[in-house]
Amino acid sequence: MARLILGVTGSVAAVRTPGLVSALVALGHEVGVAATEPSLHFFDSESLRSIGAAPGVSLYRDRDEWAESRYERNSPILHIELRKWADALIAAPLDANTLAKFAVGTADNLLTCLFRAWDFARPVVLAPAMNTLMWDSPVTRRHFRTILEDRGDARSPGDFSLDEVDRVFARHAPKIVVVPPISKRLACGDLGVGGMAEIDSIVAVVQQVVNYQFK
C-alpha cells in the first residue's frame, strides 16, 4: 500500500489523530505523523506506538528536523527525506494558521517545510478544522485561492465560495483534494461549519487518491 505523511496541526480536532492513524494503518498504509508542537496539546503521542504492527507508525516533531549535533555537509534533512519517502501528504486537521502558512509559503516548522518542498505531482489531502467565523472569513477563501492559483492549471477558476472549494480544486488542481469541514457543535461551544470531516470520510478520500496514484 501507500506511504503516507499525516500532518497534524493545532486544532482541537487533533484529538482524533490516533483514530485517524489507526484507520489508515488498518488499510495497510505506512504512516508517518508530522505533528506541530501545538497539536501535541490535544493527543498523547505515546498512544501512536501501540497502533499497528511493523513497520508501525513514526512520529516526527519540529525538534527532529535537526540533530542535536552541529550540522555537517551531506547530513540528511528531515523534511526532504520525508518528501522523498511519502506517496501522499495529508493535513488533518488543517488549522487556520497552517492554512495561511501554506498559502504564503512560510516554512517555519517541519510540516510547513514539507509542504513548501513537496512534489505536487504527488497528491495532497487537506481537511480543514477551525471555528466557524474563522472558516467563514474572507481570509480563508483568499488563502485557498492563493494555493489554487499557485498549484492549479492556467485557467482562472473565477469567483467561488467556500461551499464549493472542494469542487473548484477538483476541477483546477486535482492533485490537491480538499475535504470540507462539517457543521456541528464545536469544542468552543459555537454551532456551525468548521468541524473536521469524519474520519471515515477522510480515509475514503485518501483511498481514492492513493488508488488513482497507483492505478
Side-chain angles (χ1 to χ4, degrees):
M1 297 301 285
R3 294 178 293 192
L4 308 174
I5 291 294
L6 174 62
V8 185
T9 70
S11 163
V12 177
V15 299
R16 300 163 72 188
T17 298
L20 179 53
V21 172
S22 293
L24 294 171
V25 169
L27 292 172
H29 301 302
E30 293 183 54
V31 181
V33 178
T36 66
E37 292 306 310
S39 76
L40 295 169
H41 291 285
F42 300 107
F43 73 98
D44 179 8
S45 60
E46 291 298 315
S47 65
L48 301 181
R49 297 182 182 276
S50 61
I51 296 175
V57 178
S58 300
L59 174 69
Y60 303 99
R61 303 178 61 162
D62 292 343
R63 67 190 185 196
D64 297 324
E65 178 77 276
W66 305 109
E68 293 184 3
S69 58
R70 188 178 299 276
Y71 173 79
E72 295 182 6
R73 188 172 180 82
N74 297 323
S75 296
I77 297 172
L78 182 58
H79 66 269
I80 300 299
E81 295 303 311
L82 292 178
R83 182 204 66 197
K84 294 175 181 177
W85 175 84
D87 299 308
L89 172 63
I90 308 156
L94 173 62
D95 64 8
N97 186 50
T98 305
L99 172 62
K101 292 179 179 182
F102 283 180
V104 301
T106 301
D108 64 348
N109 60 32
L110 175 60
L111 178 57
T112 54
C113 284
L114 179 56
F115 186 83
R116 182 68 181 267
W118 187 253
D119 175 3
F120 283 88
R122 301 179 186 182
V124 174
V125 176
L126 306 177
M130 61 192 75
N131 176 267
T132 302
L133 292 180
M134 297 172 78
W135 173 252
D136 288 339
S137 169
V139 176
T140 301
R141 184 163 61 92
R142 185 164 71 245
H143 288 156
F144 275 116
R145 176 177 287 281
T146 299
I147 293 172
L148 186 62
E149 290 175 347
D150 287 346
R151 300 298 177 186
D153 58 34
R155 296 171 298 164
S156 171
D159 194 27
F160 62 89
S161 70
L162 288 172
D163 291 338
E164 56 182 342
V165 65
D166 54 332
R167 298 186 294 277
V168 172
F169 269 79
R171 289 195 302 271
H172 295 277
K175 289 289 188 178
I176 305 177
V177 182
V178 179
V179 188
I182 60 176
S183 181
K184 59 182 290 187
R185 179 74 65 181
L186 304 175
C188 62
D190 288 355
L191 178 63
V193 177
M196 187 177 77
E198 298 295 343
I199 287 176
D200 288 349
S201 299
I202 297 171
V203 171
V205 169
V206 172
Q207 282 296 94
Q208 289 174 0
V209 300
V210 166
N211 289 341
Y212 182 81
Q213 182 78 355
F214 292 105
K215 73 176 183 178

